[in-house]
Amino acid sequence: MPLTTEDARRRAYYRSALMLLRFVEARSPTSRRFGPEADALWRSFAGDLDTSDRLELLLRDADRQWGGAFGARAVFALRSAHEQDAFGADWRRLSSTQAAELWKQALADKPVSDPGAAILAILREWQLEPKPFELPKLGPSSRVVIVGLAAITAATRAFLANPDLSWPNQVAIVADEPGPRQLAAATAALGDHAEPTLLLHSEQLDREQLDRVRSKLGGTLQVIASPDATPQQRDAASRLATRKAA
């Protein structure tokens, strides 16, 4: 059953973000995020900063590198946060105790080895179980608006498996719940894209966002909706495809 309480959702977000961060670090090691060298570097300048500060700094840095794939702003559709800010002023940070616990657990977990395993890990953290969904055939010229967890999950796998497809340049996602939103946002990092996922909320869709998506994707937009998409999400996707504002 999807998570409903704020604490459970925050925990799922941080757990997923740390898992994703360990994956991208293992893919292209820097020695500045995890491991003895990173620990020594942190101790050298941390001063009064604690694990909560370290975690936020790491996620902010990764969020800038991989197009908003790590921040809470995209996951929770935080309207008060600037699009370049991973968290925003209103985000409730972890306590030092909570951060230390999550950090310890994340380091104890075996890193995921491939994007498919990362997708499963995010779904597991959010207690999501999408049903199988068959996408239509997509090519480099396809431009799609995707709604519904099953469709989003199928699309992330398809785009990560096909180097001829471009997630940030061919896809717009309409998702309202944080679990599907984190999966969609994370796909930018899983595919090693600096550009962000075009990620929209059905209740926040306005003329500016409509124009931004159309300008980015261009061409004719095809709506792909799985049965678990809500009527509101389907309507938002249709407005994107037909360029009609609310």
Side-chain angles (χ1 to χ4, degrees), residues 35-45 54:
E37 290 184 35
D39 292 341
L41 179 63
W42 174 251
R43 289 193 297 267
S44 70
F45 76 86
R54 181 178 185 179

Side-chain angles (χ1 to χ4, degrees), residues 55-71:
L55 179 54
E56 182 168 321
L57 288 170
L58 285 173
L59 293 180
R60 285 184 181 277
D61 175 66
D63 197 66
R64 287 190 294 269
Q65 184 171 349
W66 285 287
F70 289 85

